[in-house]
Coordinates of all heavy atoms in Angstrom, one line a residue:
M1 N 0.8 -1.2 0.0 CA 0.0 0.0 0.0 C 0.9 1.2 0.0 O 1.8 1.3 0.7 CB -0.9 0.0 1.3 CG -1.7 1.2 1.5 SD -2.9 1.1 2.8 CE -1.9 0.6 4.2
K2 N 0.5 2.2 -0.9 CA 1.3 3.5 -0.9 C 0.3 4.6 -0.6 O -0.8 4.7 -1.3 CB 2.0 3.7 -2.3 CG 3.1 2.7 -2.5 CD 3.6 2.9 -3.9 CE 4.6 1.8 -4.2 NZ 5.1 1.7 -5.6
L3 N 0.6 5.5 0.3 CA -0.3 6.6 0.6 C 0.5 7.9 0.4 O 1.6 8.0 0.8 CB -0.7 6.5 2.1 CG -1.7 5.5 2.6 CD1 -1.9 5.7 4.1 CD2 -3.0 5.8 1.9
A4 N -0.1 8.8 -0.3 CA 0.5 10.2 -0.5 C -0.4 11.2 0.2 O -1.7 11.2 0.0 CB 0.6 10.5 -1.9
I5 N 0.1 12.0 1.0 CA -0.6 13.1 1.7 C -0.3 14.4 1.1 O 0.8 14.8 1.1 CB -0.3 13.1 3.2 CG1 -0.3 11.7 3.9 CG2 -1.2 14.1 3.9 CD1 -1.7 11.1 4.0
V6 N -1.3 15.0 0.4 CA -1.1 16.3 -0.3 C -2.2 17.3 0.2 O -3.2 16.9 0.7 CB -1.1 16.1 -1.8 CG1 0.0 15.3 -2.3 CG2 -2.4 15.6 -2.3
G7 N -2.0 18.5 -0.1 CA -3.1 19.5 0.2 C -2.5 20.9 0.3 O -1.3 21.1 0.1
K8 N -3.4 21.9 0.7 CA -3.0 23.3 0.8 C -2.0 23.5 1.9 O -1.9 22.7 2.9 CB -4.2 24.1 1.0 CG -5.1 24.3 -0.2 CD -6.3 25.1 0.1 CE -5.9 26.6 0.4 NZ -7.1 27.4 0.5
G9 N -1.3 24.6 1.9 CA -0.3 24.9 2.9 C -1.0 25.0 4.3 O -2.1 25.6 4.4
G10 N -0.5 24.4 5.3 CA -1.0 24.6 6.6 C -2.3 23.8 6.9 O -2.9 24.0 7.9
S11 N -2.6 22.9 6.0 CA -3.9 22.1 6.2 C -3.8 20.9 7.0 O -4.8 20.2 7.2 CB -4.5 21.8 4.8 OG -3.6 21.0 4.0
G12 N -2.6 20.6 7.5 CA -2.4 19.4 8.3 C -1.8 18.2 7.7 O -1.9 17.1 8.2
K13 N -1.1 18.4 6.5 CA -0.5 17.2 5.8 C 0.5 16.5 6.7 O 0.5 15.3 6.8 CB 0.2 17.7 4.5 CG -0.7 18.4 3.6 CD 0.1 18.9 2.3 CE 1.1 20.0 2.6 NZ 0.5 21.2 3.0
T14 N 1.5 17.3 7.3 CA 2.6 16.6 8.0 C 2.0 15.9 9.3 O 2.4 14.8 9.6 CB 3.6 17.7 8.4 OG1 4.1 18.3 7.2 CG2 4.7 17.1 9.2
T15 N 1.1 16.6 10.0 CA 0.5 16.0 11.2 C -0.2 14.7 10.8 O 0.0 13.6 11.4 CB -0.5 17.0 11.8 OG1 0.2 18.2 12.0 CG2 -1.0 16.4 13.1
T16 N -1.0 14.7 9.7 CA -1.8 13.6 9.3 C -0.9 12.4 8.9 O -1.1 11.3 9.2 CB -2.7 14.0 8.1 OG1 -3.6 15.0 8.6 CG2 -3.6 12.8 7.7
A17 N 0.2 12.8 8.1 CA 1.1 11.7 7.6 C 1.8 11.1 8.8 O 2.0 9.8 8.8 CB 2.2 12.4 6.7
G18 N 2.2 11.9 9.8 CA 2.9 11.3 11.0 C 2.0 10.4 11.8 O 2.4 9.3 12.2
V19 N 0.7 10.8 12.0 CA -0.2 10.0 12.7 C -0.5 8.7 12.0 O -0.5 7.6 12.6 CB -1.5 10.8 13.0 CG1 -2.6 9.9 13.6 CG2 -1.2 11.9 14.0
I20 N -0.8 8.8 10.7 CA -1.1 7.5 9.9 C 0.1 6.6 10.0 O 0.0 5.4 10.2 CB -1.5 7.9 8.5 CG1 -2.9 8.6 8.5 CG2 -1.5 6.6 7.6 CD1 -3.3 9.1 7.1
A21 N 1.3 7.1 9.7 CA 2.5 6.3 9.7 C 2.7 5.5 11.0 O 2.9 4.3 11.1 CB 3.7 7.1 9.4
R22 N 2.5 6.3 12.1 CA 2.7 5.6 13.4 C 1.6 4.6 13.8 O 1.9 3.6 14.3 CB 2.8 6.7 14.5 CG 4.1 7.5 14.3 CD 4.4 8.5 15.5 NE 4.6 7.7 16.7 CZ 5.2 8.3 17.8 NH1 5.5 9.6 17.8 NH2 5.4 7.6 18.9
L23 N 0.4 5.0 13.4 CA -0.7 4.0 13.7 C -0.5 2.7 12.9 O -0.8 1.6 13.4 CB -2.1 4.7 13.4 CG -2.5 5.7 14.4 CD1 -3.8 6.4 13.9 CD2 -2.7 5.1 15.8
L24 N -0.2 2.8 11.6 CA 0.0 1.6 10.8 C 1.2 0.8 11.3 O 1.1 -0.4 11.4 CB 0.3 2.0 9.3 CG -1.0 2.6 8.6 CD1 -0.6 3.0 7.2 CD2 -2.1 1.6 8.6
A25 N 2.3 1.5 11.8 CA 3.4 0.7 12.3 C 3.1 0.0 13.6 O 3.5 -1.1 13.8 CB 4.6 1.7 12.5
R26 N 2.3 0.7 14.4 CA 1.8 0.0 15.7 C 1.0 -1.2 15.4 O 0.9 -2.1 16.2 CB 1.0 1.0 16.5 CG 1.9 2.1 17.2 CD 1.0 2.9 18.1 NE 1.7 4.2 18.4 CZ 1.2 5.1 19.2 NH1 0.0 5.0 19.7 NH2 1.9 6.2 19.4
Q27 N 0.3 -1.2 14.3 CA -0.5 -2.4 13.9 C 0.4 -3.5 13.3 O -0.1 -4.6 12.9 CB -1.6 -2.0 12.9 CG -2.7 -1.2 13.5 CD -3.7 -0.7 12.5 OE1 -3.7 -1.2 11.4 NE2 -4.5 0.3 12.9
G28 N 1.7 -3.3 13.2 CA 2.6 -4.3 12.8 C 3.0 -4.2 11.3 O 3.8 -5.0 10.8
L29 N 2.5 -3.1 10.6 CA 3.0 -3.0 9.2 C 4.4 -2.4 9.1 O 4.8 -1.7 10.0 CB 2.0 -2.1 8.5 CG 0.6 -2.7 8.3 CD1 -0.3 -1.6 7.6 CD2 0.6 -3.9 7.4
D30 N 5.1 -2.8 8.1 CA 6.4 -2.2 7.8 C 6.2 -0.9 7.1 O 5.9 -0.8 5.9 CB 7.2 -3.2 6.9 CG 8.6 -2.8 6.7 OD1 9.1 -1.9 7.4 OD2 9.3 -3.4 5.9
V31 N 6.4 0.2 7.8 CA 6.1 1.5 7.3 C 7.4 2.3 7.0 O 8.3 2.5 7.8 CB 5.3 2.3 8.3 CG1 5.0 3.7 7.8 CG2 4.0 1.6 8.6
V32 N 7.4 2.8 5.7 CA 8.5 3.7 5.3 C 7.9 5.0 5.0 O 6.9 5.1 4.2 CB 9.2 3.2 4.0 CG1 10.2 4.2 3.5 CG2 9.9 1.8 4.3
A33 N 8.3 6.1 5.7 CA 7.8 7.4 5.5 C 8.8 8.2 4.7 O 10.0 8.3 5.1 CB 7.5 8.1 6.8
L34 N 8.3 8.8 3.6 CA 9.2 9.6 2.7 C 8.8 11.0 2.8 O 7.6 11.3 2.5 CB 9.1 9.1 1.3 CG 9.7 7.7 1.0 CD1 9.4 7.4 -0.5 CD2 11.1 7.6 1.3
D35 N 9.6 11.9 3.3 CA 9.3 13.3 3.4 C 9.7 14.0 2.1 O 10.8 14.2 1.9 CB 10.0 13.9 4.6 CG 9.4 15.3 5.0 OD1 8.5 15.8 4.2 OD2 9.7 15.8 6.1
C36 N 8.6 14.3 1.3 CA 8.9 15.0 0.0 C 8.6 16.4 0.1 O 8.5 17.1 -1.0 CB 8.0 14.3 -1.1 SG 8.3 12.5 -1.2
D37 N 8.3 17.0 1.3 CA 8.0 18.4 1.4 C 9.3 19.2 1.1 O 10.4 18.8 1.5 CB 7.6 18.7 2.8 CG 6.8 20.0 3.0 OD1 7.3 21.0 2.5 OD2 5.7 19.9 3.5
A38 N 9.1 20.4 0.5 CA 10.2 21.3 0.2 C 10.8 21.8 1.5 O 12.0 22.2 1.5 CB 9.7 22.4 -0.7
N39 N 10.0 21.8 2.6 CA 10.5 22.2 3.9 C 10.3 21.0 4.8 O 9.3 20.9 5.5 CB 9.8 23.4 4.4 CG 10.3 23.8 5.8 OD1 11.4 23.5 6.2 ND2 9.4 24.5 6.5
P40 N 11.2 20.0 4.8 CA 10.9 18.7 5.4 C 10.9 18.8 6.9 O 11.9 19.1 7.5 CB 12.0 17.8 4.9 CG 13.0 18.6 4.4 CD 12.5 20.0 4.1
N41 N 9.8 18.4 7.6 CA 9.7 18.4 9.0 C 8.9 17.2 9.5 O 8.4 17.2 10.7 CB 9.2 19.7 9.6 CG 7.9 20.1 9.0 OD1 7.2 19.3 8.3 ND2 7.5 21.3 9.2
L42 N 8.7 16.2 8.7 CA 7.9 15.0 9.1 C 8.6 14.3 10.3 O 7.9 13.7 11.1 CB 7.8 14.1 7.9 CG 6.9 12.8 8.2 CD1 5.6 13.1 8.7 CD2 6.9 12.0 6.9
G43 N 9.9 14.4 10.3 CA 10.6 13.8 11.5 C 10.1 14.3 12.8 O 10.1 13.5 13.8
I44 N 9.7 15.6 12.9 CA 9.2 16.1 14.1 C 7.9 15.4 14.5 O 7.8 15.0 15.6 CB 9.0 17.6 14.0 CG1 10.3 18.3 13.4 CG2 8.6 18.2 15.3 CD1 11.4 18.3 14.3
S45 N 7.0 15.3 13.5 CA 5.7 14.7 13.8 C 5.9 13.2 14.1 O 5.1 12.7 14.8 CB 4.8 14.8 12.5 OG 4.3 16.1 12.5
L46 N 6.9 12.6 13.6 CA 7.1 11.2 13.8 C 7.8 10.9 15.2 O 8.0 9.8 15.6 CB 8.0 10.5 12.7 CG 7.2 10.3 11.4 CD1 8.2 9.9 10.3 CD2 6.1 9.3 11.6
G47 N 8.2 12.0 15.8 CA 8.9 11.9 17.1 C 10.4 11.6 17.1 O 11.0 11.2 18.0
L48 N 11.0 12.0 15.9 CA 12.4 11.8 15.7 C 13.2 12.9 16.4 O 14.4 12.7 16.6 CB 12.7 11.7 14.2 CG 13.9 10.9 13.8 CD1 13.8 9.5 14.3 CD2 13.9 10.9 12.3
G49 N 12.6 14.0 16.6 CA 13.4 15.1 17.2 C 14.0 16.0 16.1 O 14.3 15.6 15.0
P50 N 14.2 17.3 16.5 CA 14.7 18.3 15.5 C 16.1 18.0 15.0 O 16.4 18.2 13.8 CB 14.6 19.6 16.2 CG 14.4 19.3 17.7 CD 13.8 17.9 17.8
E51 N 17.0 17.5 15.9 CA 18.4 17.3 15.5 C 18.5 16.2 14.5 O 19.2 16.3 13.5 CB 19.2 17.1 16.7 CG 19.5 18.3 17.5 CD 20.2 18.0 18.8 OE1 20.8 16.9 19.0 OE2 20.2 18.9 19.7
E52 N 17.8 15.1 14.8 CA 17.9 13.9 13.9 C 17.2 14.3 12.5 O 17.7 13.9 11.5 CB 17.3 12.7 14.5 CG 17.3 11.4 13.7 CD 18.8 10.9 13.5 OE1 19.7 11.5 13.9 OE2 18.9 9.9 12.8
T53 N 16.1 15.0 12.6 CA 15.4 15.4 11.4 C 16.3 16.3 10.5 O 16.4 16.1 9.3 CB 14.1 16.2 11.8 OG1 13.3 15.4 12.5 CG2 13.4 16.7 10.5
E54 N 17.0 17.2 11.2 CA 17.9 18.1 10.4 C 19.1 17.3 9.9 O 19.6 17.6 8.8 CB 18.4 19.2 11.3 CG 19.1 20.4 10.6 CD 18.2 21.0 9.6 OE1 16.9 21.0 9.8 OE2 18.7 21.6 8.6
R55 N 19.6 16.3 10.6 CA 20.7 15.5 10.2 C 20.3 14.7 8.9 O 21.1 14.7 7.9 CB 21.1 14.4 11.2 CG 22.3 13.6 10.9 CD 22.6 12.5 11.9 NE 21.6 11.4 11.8 CZ 21.7 10.4 10.9 NH1 22.7 10.4 10.0 NH2 20.8 9.5 10.8
L56 N 19.1 14.2 8.8 CA 18.6 13.5 7.6 C 18.6 14.5 6.4 O 18.9 14.1 5.3 CB 17.2 12.9 7.8 CG 17.1 11.8 8.8 CD1 15.7 11.3 8.8 CD2 18.1 10.6 8.3
V57 N 18.1 15.7 6.6 CA 18.1 16.7 5.6 C 19.6 17.0 5.1 O 19.8 17.1 3.9 CB 17.5 18.1 6.1 CG1 17.6 19.1 5.0 CG2 16.0 17.9 6.5
G58 N 20.5 17.0 6.0 CA 21.9 17.3 5.7 C 22.5 16.2 4.8 O 23.2 16.4 3.8
I59 N 22.1 14.9 5.2 CA 22.6 13.8 4.4 C 22.1 13.9 2.9 O 22.8 13.7 2.0 CB 22.1 12.4 5.0 CG1 22.7 12.3 6.4 CG2 22.5 11.3 4.1 CD1 22.2 11.1 7.1
R60 N 20.8 14.2 2.8 CA 20.1 14.3 1.5 C 20.8 15.4 0.7 O 21.0 15.3 -0.5 CB 18.6 14.6 1.7 CG 17.9 14.8 0.4 CD 18.1 13.6 -0.5 NE 17.5 13.8 -1.9 CZ 18.1 14.5 -2.8 NH1 19.3 15.0 -2.6 NH2 17.5 14.6 -4.0
Q61 N 21.1 16.6 1.4 CA 21.7 17.7 0.6 C 23.1 17.3 0.2 O 23.6 17.9 -0.8 CB 21.7 18.9 1.5 CG 20.3 19.5 1.6 CD 20.2 20.8 2.4 OE1 20.8 20.9 3.4 NE2 19.4 21.7 2.0
A62 N 23.8 16.4 0.9 CA 25.1 16.0 0.5 C 25.1 15.3 -0.8 O 26.1 15.4 -1.6 CB 25.7 15.1 1.6
L63 N 24.0 14.7 -1.1 CA 23.8 14.1 -2.4 C 23.8 15.1 -3.5 O 24.5 15.0 -4.5 CB 22.5 13.3 -2.5 CG 22.2 12.5 -3.7 CD1 23.2 11.3 -3.9 CD2 20.8 11.9 -3.6
D64 N 23.1 16.2 -3.3 CA 23.1 17.3 -4.3 C 24.5 18.0 -4.4 O 24.8 18.4 -5.5 CB 22.1 18.4 -3.8 CG 20.6 17.9 -3.9 OD1 20.4 16.9 -4.6 OD2 19.8 18.4 -3.2
D65 N 25.2 18.0 -3.3 CA 26.5 18.6 -3.4 C 27.6 17.7 -3.9 O 28.8 18.0 -3.9 CB 26.9 19.1 -1.9 CG 26.0 20.2 -1.4 OD1 25.3 20.8 -2.3 OD2 25.9 20.3 -0.2
G66 N 27.2 16.5 -4.3 CA 28.2 15.5 -4.9 C 29.0 14.8 -3.8 O 30.0 14.2 -4.1
E67 N 28.6 14.9 -2.6 CA 29.4 14.3 -1.5 C 28.9 12.9 -1.1 O 29.5 12.2 -0.3 CB 29.4 15.2 -0.2 CG 30.0 16.6 -0.5 CD 29.6 17.6 0.6 OE1 28.9 17.2 1.6 OE2 30.0 18.7 0.4
E68 N 27.7 12.5 -1.7 CA 27.1 11.2 -1.4 C 26.8 10.6 -2.8 O 26.4 11.3 -3.7 CB 25.9 11.3 -0.6 CG 26.1 11.5 0.9 CD 26.3 10.1 1.6 OE1 26.1 9.1 0.9 OE2 26.7 10.2 2.7
E69 N 26.9 9.3 -2.9 CA 26.4 8.5 -4.0 C 25.0 8.2 -4.0 O 24.4 8.0 -2.9 CB 27.2 7.2 -4.1 CG 28.7 7.4 -4.3 CD 29.1 7.9 -5.7 OE1 28.5 7.3 -6.7 OE2 29.9 8.8 -5.9
H70 N 24.3 8.1 -5.1 CA 22.9 7.6 -5.2 C 22.9 6.2 -4.6 O 23.8 5.4 -4.8 CB 22.4 7.7 -6.6 CG 21.9 9.0 -7.0 ND1 22.7 9.9 -7.6 CD2 20.7 9.6 -6.9 CE1 22.0 11.0 -7.8 NE2 20.8 10.9 -7.4
A71 N 21.8 5.8 -4.0 CA 21.6 4.5 -3.5 C 21.1 3.6 -4.6 O 20.1 4.0 -5.2 CB 20.7 4.5 -2.3
P72 N 21.6 2.4 -4.8 CA 21.2 1.6 -5.9 C 19.9 0.8 -5.6 O 19.3 0.2 -6.5 CB 22.4 0.6 -6.1 CG 23.0 0.5 -4.8 CD 22.8 1.9 -4.1
S73 N 19.4 0.8 -4.4 CA 18.2 0.0 -4.0 C 17.4 0.8 -3.0 O 18.0 1.6 -2.3 CB 18.6 -1.4 -3.5 OG 19.2 -1.3 -2.3
A74 N 16.2 0.4 -2.8 CA 15.3 1.1 -1.8 C 15.9 0.8 -0.4 O 15.9 1.7 0.5 CB 13.9 0.6 -1.9
D75 N 16.4 -0.5 -0.2 CA 16.9 -0.8 1.2 C 18.1 0.1 1.5 O 18.3 0.6 2.6 CB 17.2 -2.3 1.2 CG 16.0 -3.1 1.6 OD1 15.0 -2.5 2.1 OD2 16.0 -4.3 1.3
E76 N 19.0 0.2 0.5 CA 20.2 1.0 0.7 C 19.9 2.5 0.9 O 20.5 3.2 1.6 CB 21.2 0.8 -0.4 CG 22.6 1.4 0.0 CD 23.7 0.7 -0.7 OE1 23.6 -0.4 -1.3 OE2 24.8 1.4 -0.7
L77 N 18.8 2.9 0.2 CA 18.4 4.3 0.3 C 18.0 4.6 1.8 O 18.4 5.6 2.4 CB 17.2 4.6 -0.6 CG 16.7 6.0 -0.6 CD1 16.1 6.4 -2.0 CD2 15.6 6.2 0.4
L78 N 17.3 3.6 2.3 CA 16.8 3.8 3.7 C 18.0 3.7 4.7 O 18.1 4.4 5.7 CB 15.8 2.8 4.1 CG 14.4 3.0 3.4 CD1 13.5 1.8 3.6 CD2 13.8 4.3 4.0
T79 N 19.0 2.8 4.4 CA 20.1 2.7 5.2 C 21.0 4.0 5.2 O 21.4 4.5 6.3 CB 21.0 1.5 4.8 OG1 20.2 0.4 4.8 CG2 22.2 1.4 5.7
R80 N 21.2 4.6 4.0 CA 22.1 5.7 3.9 C 21.4 7.0 4.2 O 22.0 7.9 4.8 CB 22.6 5.8 2.5 CG 23.8 4.9 2.3 CD 24.6 5.4 1.2 NE 24.8 4.4 0.2 CZ 25.0 4.7 -1.1 NH1 25.0 6.0 -1.5 NH2 25.2 3.8 -2.0
F81 N 20.1 7.2 3.8 CA 19.4 8.5 3.8 C 18.3 8.5 4.9 O 17.6 9.5 5.0 CB 18.9 8.9 2.5 CG 19.9 9.0 1.4 CD1 20.2 8.0 0.5 CD2 20.7 10.2 1.4 CE1 21.2 8.2 -0.5 CE2 21.7 10.3 0.4 CZ 21.9 9.3 -0.5
G82 N 18.1 7.3 5.6 CA 17.0 7.2 6.5 C 17.4 7.0 7.9 O 18.6 6.9 8.2
A83 N 16.4 6.9 8.8 CA 16.6 6.7 10.2 C 15.4 6.0 10.8 O 14.3 6.3 10.3 CB 16.9 8.0 10.9
P84 N 15.6 5.2 11.8 CA 14.5 4.6 12.5 C 13.8 5.6 13.4 O 14.5 6.3 14.1 CB 15.1 3.4 13.3 CG 16.6 3.7 13.4 CD 16.9 4.6 12.3
A85 N 12.5 5.6 13.4 CA 11.7 6.5 14.2 C 10.9 5.7 15.2 O 10.8 4.5 15.0 CB 10.9 7.4 13.3
P86 N 10.2 6.4 16.1 CA 9.4 5.6 17.1 C 8.3 4.8 16.4 O 7.9 5.1 15.3 CB 8.8 6.8 17.9 CG 9.8 7.8 17.9 CD 10.4 7.8 16.5
D87 N 7.9 3.7 17.1 CA 6.9 2.8 16.6 C 7.4 1.9 15.5 O 6.6 1.2 14.9 CB 5.6 3.5 16.3 CG 4.9 4.1 17.5 OD1 4.9 3.5 18.5 OD2 4.4 5.2 17.3
G88 N 8.7 2.0 15.1 CA 9.2 1.2 14.0 C 9.1 1.8 12.6 O 9.4 1.1 11.6
V89 N 8.6 3.0 12.5 CA 8.6 3.7 11.2 C 10.0 4.0 10.8 O 10.9 4.3 11.6 CB 7.8 5.1 11.4 CG1 7.9 5.8 10.1 CG2 6.4 4.8 11.8
R90 N 10.3 3.9 9.5 CA 11.6 4.3 9.0 C 11.3 5.5 8.1 O 10.4 5.5 7.2 CB 12.2 3.2 8.1 CG 12.7 2.1 9.0 CD 13.3 1.0 8.2 NE 12.3 0.3 7.4 CZ 12.6 -0.5 6.4 NH1 13.8 -0.7 6.0 NH2 11.6 -1.1 5.7
L91 N 12.1 6.6 8.3 CA 11.9 7.8 7.6 C 13.1 8.1 6.7 O 14.3 8.0 7.1 CB 11.8 9.0 8.7 CG 11.8 10.4 8.1 CD1 10.6 10.7 7.2 CD2 11.9 11.4 9.2
A92 N 12.8 8.6 5.5 CA 13.9 9.1 4.7 C 13.4 10.5 4.1 O 12.2 10.7 3.8 CB 14.2 8.2 3.5
V93 N 14.4 11.4 4.0 CA 14.1 12.7 3.5 C 14.4 12.8 2.0 O 15.5 12.4 1.6 CB 14.8 13.8 4.3 CG1 14.7 15.2 3.6 CG2 14.3 13.9 5.7
V94 N 13.5 13.3 1.2 CA 13.7 13.2 -0.3 C 14.3 14.5 -0.8 O 15.1 14.5 -1.7 CB 12.4 12.9 -1.0 CG1 12.5 13.0 -2.5 CG2 11.9 11.5 -0.5
T95 N 13.9 15.6 -0.2 CA 14.5 16.9 -0.8 C 14.3 18.0 0.2 O 13.5 17.9 1.1 CB 13.8 17.2 -2.1 OG1 14.5 18.3 -2.8 CG2 12.4 17.6 -2.0
R96 N 15.0 19.1 -0.1 CA 14.6 20.4 0.5 C 15.0 21.5 -0.4 O 16.1 21.4 -1.1 CB 15.3 20.6 1.9 CG 15.0 22.0 2.4 CD 15.3 22.2 3.9 NE 16.7 22.4 4.2 CZ 17.1 22.5 5.4 NH1 16.3 22.4 6.4 NH2 18.4 22.7 5.6
I97 N 14.1 22.5 -0.5 CA 14.4 23.6 -1.4 C 14.7 24.8 -0.5 O 13.9 25.3 0.2 CB 13.3 23.9 -2.3 CG1 12.9 22.7 -3.2 CG2 13.6 25.2 -3.2 CD1 11.7 22.9 -4.1
D98 N 16.0 25.2 -0.5 CA 16.4 26.4 0.4 C 16.2 27.7 -0.3 O 15.8 28.7 0.3 CB 17.9 26.2 0.8 CG 18.0 25.2 1.9 OD1 17.1 25.1 2.7 OD2 19.0 24.5 1.9
R99 N 16.5 27.7 -1.6 CA 16.4 29.0 -2.3 C 15.6 28.8 -3.6 O 16.2 28.6 -4.7 CB 17.8 29.5 -2.6 CG 18.6 29.9 -1.4 CD 20.0 30.4 -1.8 NE 20.8 29.2 -2.3 CZ 21.4 28.3 -1.6 NH1 21.4 28.4 -0.3 NH2 22.1 27.4 -2.2
P100 N 14.3 28.8 -3.5 CA 13.5 28.6 -4.7 C 13.6 29.7 -5.7 O 13.7 30.9 -5.3 CB 12.0 28.5 -4.2 CG 12.1 29.2 -2.9 CD 13.5 29.0 -2.3
N101 N 13.7 29.4 -7.0 CA 13.7 30.4 -8.0 C 12.3 30.9 -8.3 O 11.4 30.2 -8.1 CB 14.3 29.8 -9.3 CG 15.7 29.4 -9.2 OD1 16.5 30.2 -8.6 ND2 16.1 28.3 -9.9
P102 N 12.2 32.2 -8.7 CA 10.9 32.7 -9.0 C 10.1 31.8 -10.0 O 10.8 31.4 -11.0 CB 11.1 34.1 -9.5 CG 12.5 34.5 -9.0 CD 13.2 33.2 -8.9
G103 N 8.9 31.5 -9.8 CA 8.1 30.7 -10.7 C 8.4 29.2 -10.6 O 7.8 28.4 -11.3
Ligands
ATP1 N1 -6.7 18.0 13.0 C1 -6.1 19.1 13.4 N2 -6.8 20.0 14.3 C2 -6.2 21.1 14.7 N3 -5.0 21.6 14.4 C3 -4.3 20.8 13.5 C4 -4.8 19.6 13.0 N4 -3.9 19.0 12.2 C5 -2.8 19.9 12.2 N5 -3.1 20.9 13.0 C6 -2.2 22.1 13.3 O1 -2.2 22.9 12.1 C7 -0.9 23.4 11.9 C8 -0.4 23.0 10.5 O2 -0.3 21.5 10.5 P1 0.8 20.8 9.6 O3 2.1 21.4 9.8 O4 0.6 19.3 9.8 O5 0.3 21.3 8.1 P2 1.0 21.1 6.7 O6 -0.1 21.0 5.7 O7 2.0 20.0 6.8 O8 1.7 22.5 6.6 P3 2.8 23.0 5.5 O9 2.0 23.3 4.2 O10 3.4 24.2 6.1 O11 3.8 21.8 5.3 C9 0.0 22.9 13.0 O12 0.1 23.8 14.0 C10 -0.7 21.6 13.5 O13 -0.5 21.4 14.9
MG2 MG1 4.1 20.1 6.3

Protein backbone atom coordinates (compact mmCIF):
# COMPACT_ATOMS: atom_id res chain seq x y z
CA MET A 1 0.00 0.00 0.00
CA LYS A 2 1.27 3.46 -0.91
CA LEU A 3 -0.27 6.59 0.62
CA ALA A 4 0.47 10.15 -0.46
CA ILE A 5 -0.65 13.06 1.71
CA VAL A 6 -1.11 16.29 -0.25
CA GLY A 7 -3.05 19.52 0.25
CA LYS A 8 -2.97 23.26 0.77
CA GLY A 9 -0.33 24.92 2.93
CA GLY A 10 -0.98 24.56 6.63
CA SER A 11 -3.90 22.15 6.15
CA GLY A 12 -2.40 19.40 8.33
CA LYS A 13 -0.48 17.23 5.83
CA THR A 14 2.56 16.63 8.01
CA THR A 15 0.52 15.98 11.16
CA THR A 16 -1.79 13.57 9.30
CA ALA A 17 1.12 11.75 7.64
CA GLY A 18 2.89 11.31 10.96
CA VAL A 19 -0.20 9.98 12.74
CA ILE A 20 -1.09 7.54 9.94
CA ALA A 21 2.50 6.26 9.70
CA ARG A 22 2.74 5.63 13.43
CA LEU A 23 -0.71 4.01 13.70
CA LEU A 24 0.03 1.63 10.81
CA ALA A 25 3.42 0.75 12.30
CA ARG A 26 1.82 0.04 15.68
CA GLN A 27 -0.49 -2.41 13.89
CA GLY A 28 2.60 -4.30 12.76
CA LEU A 29 2.96 -2.99 9.21
CA ASP A 30 6.41 -2.24 7.81
CA VAL A 31 6.11 1.53 7.31
CA VAL A 32 8.51 3.67 5.29
CA ALA A 33 7.78 7.41 5.49
CA LEU A 34 9.21 9.57 2.72
CA ASP A 35 9.26 13.29 3.44
CA CYS A 36 8.88 14.96 0.02
CA ASP A 37 8.04 18.40 1.40
CA ALA A 38 10.20 21.28 0.19
CA ASN A 39 10.54 22.16 3.87
CA PRO A 40 10.89 18.69 5.41
CA ASN A 41 9.74 18.38 9.03
CA LEU A 42 7.93 15.03 9.09
CA GLY A 43 10.63 13.78 11.47
CA ILE A 44 9.25 16.12 14.11
CA SER A 45 5.72 14.70 13.76
CA LEU A 46 7.13 11.17 13.85
CA GLY A 47 8.87 11.87 17.15
CA LEU A 48 12.40 11.78 15.74
CA GLY A 49 13.37 15.14 17.19
CA PRO A 50 14.69 18.29 15.50
CA GLU A 51 18.37 17.34 15.50
CA GLU A 52 17.91 13.94 13.85
CA THR A 53 15.41 15.43 11.41
CA GLU A 54 17.94 18.08 10.42
CA ARG A 55 20.69 15.45 10.17
CA LEU A 56 18.61 13.54 7.58
CA VAL A 57 18.13 16.74 5.58
CA GLY A 58 21.89 17.28 5.67
CA ILE A 59 22.60 13.78 4.36
CA ARG A 60 20.15 14.33 1.51
CA GLN A 61 21.71 17.67 0.64
CA ALA A 62 25.14 16.02 0.55
CA LEU A 63 23.83 14.07 -2.43
CA ASP A 64 23.08 17.31 -4.27
CA ASP A 65 26.53 18.61 -3.36
CA GLY A 66 28.18 15.52 -4.86
CA GLU A 67 29.41 14.30 -1.48
CA GLU A 68 27.13 11.22 -1.45
CA GLU A 69 26.45 8.53 -4.05
CA HIS A 70 22.93 7.62 -5.15
CA ALA A 71 21.64 4.47 -3.47
CA PRO A 72 21.17 1.56 -5.92
CA SER A 73 18.21 0.03 -4.05
CA ALA A 74 15.34 1.06 -1.78
CA ASP A 75 16.89 -0.79 1.17
CA GLU A 76 20.20 0.98 0.73
CA LEU A 77 18.40 4.31 0.32
CA LEU A 78 16.84 3.80 3.74
CA THR A 79 20.14 2.72 5.25
CA ARG A 80 22.05 5.71 3.91
CA PHE A 81 19.42 8.47 3.85
CA GLY A 82 16.99 7.25 6.48
CA ALA A 83 16.64 6.70 10.19
CA PRO A 84 14.49 4.55 12.48
CA ALA A 85 11.73 6.52 14.19
CA PRO A 86 9.39 5.63 17.09
CA ASP A 87 6.91 2.76 16.63
CA GLY A 88 9.20 1.18 14.02
CA VAL A 89 8.58 3.72 11.25
CA ARG A 90 11.56 4.30 8.97
CA LEU A 91 11.91 7.84 7.64
CA ALA A 92 13.89 9.15 4.67
CA VAL A 93 14.05 12.74 3.49
CA VAL A 94 13.69 13.20 -0.26
CA THR A 95 14.47 16.87 -0.79
CA ARG A 96 14.61 20.38 0.54
CA ILE A 97 14.44 23.63 -1.40
CA ASP A 98 16.39 26.37 0.39
CA ARG A 99 16.42 29.02 -2.32
CA PRO A 100 13.47 28.58 -4.72
CA ASN A 101 13.75 30.38 -8.03
CA PRO A 102 10.85 32.69 -8.98
CA GLY A 103 8.12 30.69 -10.71
N1 LIG B 1 -6.67 18.02 12.98
C1 LIG B 1 -6.10 19.15 13.43
N2 LIG B 1 -6.78 19.96 14.27
C2 LIG B 1 -6.22 21.11 14.72
N3 LIG B 1 -5.00 21.55 14.39
C3 LIG B 1 -4.29 20.78 13.55
C4 LIG B 1 -4.80 19.55 13.02
N4 LIG B 1 -3.86 19.01 12.19
C5 LIG B 1 -2.83 19.87 12.22
N5 LIG B 1 -3.07 20.92 13.03
C6 LIG B 1 -2.20 22.06 13.29
O1 LIG B 1 -2.20 22.87 12.12
C7 LIG B 1 -0.89 23.39 11.89
C8 LIG B 1 -0.42 22.97 10.51
O2 LIG B 1 -0.29 21.54 10.49
P1 LIG B 1 0.79 20.83 9.59
O3 LIG B 1 2.14 21.39 9.83
O4 LIG B 1 0.59 19.35 9.76
O5 LIG B 1 0.26 21.27 8.14
P2 LIG B 1 0.98 21.12 6.73
O6 LIG B 1 -0.12 20.97 5.72
O7 LIG B 1 1.99 20.02 6.79
O8 LIG B 1 1.69 22.53 6.60
P3 LIG B 1 2.80 22.98 5.51
O9 LIG B 1 2.03 23.30 4.25
O10 LIG B 1 3.40 24.19 6.14
O11 LIG B 1 3.76 21.84 5.33
C9 LIG B 1 0.01 22.86 13.02
O12 LIG B 1 0.10 23.84 14.02
C10 LIG B 1 -0.74 21.63 13.52
O13 LIG B 1 -0.47 21.39 14.87
MG1 LIG C 1 4.07 20.09 6.33
